[in-house]
Amino acid sequence: MESTRRAGAAAIVVALLMLTGCTPQPSSDVPGKWGSTDPGEPNLIIDSDGSYTGSDGCNTMSGKGTISGTTIELGTVATTQKACADVDTWMSTAESGKADGNTMVVYDSSGKKIGTLQRND
């Protein structure tokens, strides 16, 4: 009787472990939509070839970067130069981003973290 209970308990543990392995894990892929497209909010839409479009919440930006693993180097950025009141334009100084699950950490040219964008696809 005791060995039957142990075998049943072991089967439940194995089943739970198998289900955990099937649970979708957050993506670390760089391509996708990051940030919010709401007015005044930063965003970045990255294609699998490294091309991207986005906004710092005021000015639009586009370019073609280089994706390596979970990182994108933005390269040369084309951007508009509008003056916008009450908008934090930190995204306009972005040089690279690193995907970590559903968060992209954005860095400036000195490698300093300047902000984060949440996956939004």
Side-chain angles (χ1 to χ4, degrees):
M1 180 78 132
E2 184 65 31
S3 64
T4 303
R5 281 190 209 160
R6 285 186 185 153
I12 290 171
V13 169
V14 168
L16 288 173
L17 289 172
M18 289 174 64
L19 285 174
T20 303
C22 295
T23 302
Q25 300 299 313
S27 174
S28 292
D29 292 337
V30 171
K33 296 177 183 177
W34 299 91
S36 172
T37 55
D38 291 342
E41 296 297 319
N43 64 78
L44 200 55
I45 301 168
I46 305 169
D47 292 328
S48 58
D49 68 353
S51 59
Y52 60 88
T53 59
S55 172
D56 63 6
C58 173
N59 291 287
T60 58
M61 56 193 293
S62 64
K64 182 150 185 196
T66 305
I67 298 174
S68 177
T70 59
T71 301
I72 182 167
E73 296 294 330
L74 297 176
T76 303
V77 180
T79 184
T80 58
Q81 297 291 314
K82 297 184 283 186
C84 301
D86 301 322
V87 176
D88 183 354
T89 58
W90 62 267
M91 188 67 182
S92 64
T93 62
E95 291 282 325
S96 65
K98 182 170 176 67
D100 184 7
N102 289 323
T103 302
M104 178 170 286
V105 180
V106 182
Y107 301 92
D108 66 11
S109 61
S110 69
K112 177 183 171 193
K113 176 183 170 181
I114 56 173
T116 59
L117 299 170
Q118 296 303 307
R119 185 174 285 281
N120 190 18
D121 11 46

